[in-house]
Amino acid sequence: MRTIGHFVGGQPLSKTVRTSDVYDPNTGTVQAIVELGDAALVDEAVCNAAAAQIGWAATNPQRRARVLFEFKRLLERDMDSLAYLLSSEHGKVIADAKGDIQRGLEVVEFACGIPHLLKGEYTQGAGPGIDVYSMRQPLGVVAGITPFNFPAMIPMWMFAPALACGNAFILKPSERDPSVPVRLAELLIEAGLPAGVLNVVQGDKTVVDAILDHPAIRAVSFVGSSDIAQYVYAKGAQNGKRMQCMGGAKNHGIVLPDADLDQAVNDIMGAAYGSAGERCMALPVVVPVGDKTADALRDRLLASIDGLRVGISTDAEAQYGPVVSAAHKARIESYIQMGVDEGAELVRDGRGFALQGHESGYFLGPTLFDRVTPDMKSYQDEIFGPVLQMVRADSFEAALDLPSRHAYGNGVAIFTRNGDYARQFADRVDVGMVGINVPIPVPVAYHSFGGWKRSGFGDLNQYGTDGVRFYTKVKTVTQRWPASVAGGAVAPDQSFVIPTMN
Ligand code: NAD
């Protein structure tokens, strides 16, 4: 049996304390075991990181960027093998696995611009003979804790800007698909990153708590479900760390009567069922405005659903593959039953779907509910599976209210041809990322990613210039030099009053 270990001090490290099984979701069999670290291992990784960070921070930003340029080339070289490895543990289809890697790679591309991004601010003559300048310095050792659903993209969201800024990084990936993060660490070494600057410690809550308690870790970025995000945020902040914690989601797609319905259906299908719905920017709720729109949308959705192909992750024709685990499959099925019990109309039931030859895989067919209402728990909770819920609204205002009042506020989309409605919607909706005729509005790498309400705890978003802010601290220098030439600075008389510009 293959064992997946840690990566510390520039090399693989095996320290078996406890282990966890890693499944192939296509077959439901254990394909590897992953070692789970502990506080001692976190400390060992932090010691390596702290020692390596000094030299890395002293390396000029252009040279740090060159390592990232080379890392990007290696990611492109190994795209196929990385995608296969990723989908074998996660279950997403190969094309989608490549998208996972590509979206991370785009953040690496952004981070290659770090010499420009780190330029500070300067004010000449802020006072008599006084100049002021600000510079951004790395925090030191920082950490990232990532979820199972994007095992390549989300680690890169975090470590690309962190490393570019001159930090050393401790990555704690999901224990459910832990192989790709180790491969990324190996590629960084091949790209020229000094040993110890990026370390991977596999594990579960024990390692997360050790990271949050370690005094030398200055900042922690977390992405995962909301209850855990809130716990991690509170514990890390209590320990004086800078925190950014992204949580779960329940994103709505609003369909106005004037929308291009064929386009909207195409978009909603991909966003609801792609990756088996295991995306924090999936669209699991569709809100048609008016019964006429709802009926037309439902007919078109059904036609698409009935033609949808579910297959193993290496099936090039499949639109989506299995969900990640047996436990997650059972959880999704229990939410489908909950929807039925709560009185929603089950139009298509994905339970009981079996793929010939892969009967033990974690497959679910596409599920569609109609006449879902906001009081239902199955609407309020994140299901994170191939389940689309239709909530009918009778007006634009009612449709706008639904995502605004929902506890989650990650993403939202509106489908319309009317610019005025679209503009008002984007302005007023209480959600962090908005798509206008764009179903999955994940911002490009040079903007930044972050949800509101229970979808995000902390002030700064992932990547973009927010990423640079998160992984740096500002130092401001106010300087005056003794006069050596005529017209130079004249030292003021002794004063016991706070200096002002008067
Ligand atoms: P999860 O919360 O179960 O796990 C996330 C991380 O936390 C993992 O590394 C895990 O090992 C660790 N963890 C698990 N239990 C813990 C505990 N009790 N204490 C401390 N740490 C713990 O999430 P997941 O199932 O891996 O990922 C899916 C979730 O992530 C969904 O809710 C999804 O919406 C969310 N997500 C959010 C975003 C975003 O940017 N907002 C992006 C991707 C995924």
Side-chain angles (χ1 to χ4, degrees), residues 146-149 172 175-176 222-225 228 247-248 280 382 449:
T146 54
F148 82 85
N149 68 324
K172 204 301 282 173
E175 60 275 43
R176 285 185 267 179
F222 173 93
V223 177
S225 51
I228 298 173
C280 68
E382 178 182 46
F449 182 107

Side-chain angles (χ1 to χ4, degrees), residues 32-115:
I33 54 168
V34 58
E35 299 186 346
L36 303 177
D38 58 9
L41 187 57
V42 170
D43 190 50
E44 187 177 336
V46 172
C47 289
N48 271 279
Q53 194 265 335
I54 297 164
W56 180 240
T59 304
N60 73 52
Q62 214 159 348
R63 290 196 174 174
R64 294 202 299 262
R66 279 184 197 144
V67 172
L68 294 173
F69 272 116
E70 179 60 5
F71 177 57
K72 168 186 144 65
R73 193 187 69 77
L74 298 176
L75 287 172
E76 282 162 349
R77 181 194 71 185
D78 289 1
M79 179 65 84
D80 286 345
S81 59
L82 283 167
Y84 272 86
L85 185 60
L86 193 159
S87 76
S88 75
E89 292 179 356
H90 177 286
K92 63 175 76 175
V93 295
I94 297 292
D96 203 28
K98 287 186 179 172
D100 185 332
I101 299 159
Q102 179 63 29
R103 284 307 293 242
L105 188 155
E106 288 167 11
V107 176
V108 174
E109 286 175 336
F110 170 76
C112 287
I114 201 66

Side-chain angles (χ1 to χ4, degrees), residues 275-312:
S275 204
E278 293 172 322
R279 291 184 187 135
C280 68
M281 288 296 272
L283 270 192
V285 180
V286 61
V287 184
V289 174
D291 275 333
K292 210 168 140 214
T293 312
D295 293 342
L297 188 71
R298 173 172 159 158
D299 287 347
R300 283 174 164 84
L301 281 171
L302 279 177
S304 282
I305 288 171
D306 293 339
L308 208 153
R309 181 177 168 114
V310 181
I312 56 169

Side-chain angles (χ1 to χ4, degrees), residues 152-470:
M153 176 184 82
I154 294 179
M156 287 191 264
W157 278 5
M158 299 174 178
F159 72 61
L163 299 180
C165 291
N167 299 284
F169 201 89
I170 311 290
L171 173 64
K172 204 301 282 173
S174 168
E175 60 275 43
R176 285 185 267 179
D177 42 16
S179 289
V180 167
V182 175
R183 197 62 207 114
L184 297 179
E186 288 167 352
L187 289 179
L188 275 166
I189 293 291
E190 191 182 339
L193 190 76
V197 176
L198 182 105
N199 304 275
V200 181
V201 180
Q202 309 284 6
D204 53 10
K205 179 173 167 48
T206 306
V207 169
V208 172
D209 285 336
I211 287 172
L212 296 173
D213 284 332
H214 201 294
I217 296 177
R218 306 280 176 211
V220 179
S221 179
F222 173 93
V223 177
S225 51
S226 289
D227 286 349
I228 298 173
Q230 190 168 13
Y231 162 78
V232 168
Y233 179 79
K235 189 173 167 75
Q238 176 76 29
N239 287 341
K241 300 183 195 312
R242 184 178 292 182
M243 301 297 295
Q244 100 187 141
C245 299
M246 276 59 197
K250 191 86 181 207
N251 307 322
H252 295 53
I254 314 299
V255 183
L256 297 192
D258 70 344
D260 176 340
L261 272 197
D262 290 329
Q263 185 62 51
V265 166
N266 274 344
D267 287 349
I268 292 163
M269 285 295 297
Y273 299 115
S275 204
E278 293 172 322
R279 291 184 187 135
C280 68
M281 288 296 272
L283 270 192
V285 180
V286 61
V287 184
V289 174
D291 275 333
K292 210 168 140 214
T293 312
D295 293 342
L297 188 71
R298 173 172 159 158
D299 287 347
R300 283 174 164 84
L301 281 171
L302 279 177
S304 282
I305 288 171
D306 293 339
L308 208 153
R309 181 177 168 114
V310 181
I312 56 169
S313 54
T314 48
D315 176 353
E317 305 295 313
Q319 268 104 18
Y320 71 83
V323 300
V324 71
S325 67
H328 190 50
K329 181 180 171 186
R331 182 179 175 277
I332 296 166
E333 287 173 333
S334 76
Y335 269 106
I336 297 174
Q337 187 55 45
M338 185 190 293
V340 174
D341 296 343
E342 289 178 318
E345 182 191 352
L346 183 59
V347 187
R348 283 291 179 276
D349 187 352
R351 294 173 296 181
F353 173 90
L355 192 67
Q356 215 182 352
H358 289 83
E359 287 77 5
S360 303
Y362 309 136
F363 294 94
L364 280 163
T367 293
L368 177 68
F369 276 106
D370 194 0
R371 302 184 193 283
V372 173
T373 53
D375 55 315
M376 294 177 181
K377 185 167 161 50
S378 58
Y379 164 79
Q380 291 157 4
D381 289 0
E382 178 182 46
I383 300 176
F384 219 55
V387 180
L388 178 60
Q389 296 169 297
M390 190 183 288
V391 183
R392 295 174 177 235
D394 55 13
S395 66
F396 170 75
E397 290 297 331
L400 171 66
D401 249 22
L402 284 163
S404 292
R405 285 175 189 271
H406 204 284
Y408 292 108
N410 215 37
V412 70
I414 184 166
F415 298 92
T416 178
R417 289 187 165 95
N418 185 312
D420 187 32
Y421 276 120
R423 191 169 177 276
Q424 277 215 42
F425 183 82
D427 182 30
R428 291 168 57 197
V429 72
D430 192 10
V431 170
M433 292 171 281
V434 181
I436 297 172
N437 299 311
V438 172
I440 307 180
V442 176
V444 291
Y446 42 96
H447 283 258
S448 70
F449 182 107
W452 291 1
K453 299 181 282 183
R454 283 192 62 72
S455 297
F457 303 87
D459 301 325
L460 290 170
N461 281 352
Q462 296 281 349
Y463 64 80
T465 47
D466 262 19
V468 175
R469 287 191 195 103
F470 184 75

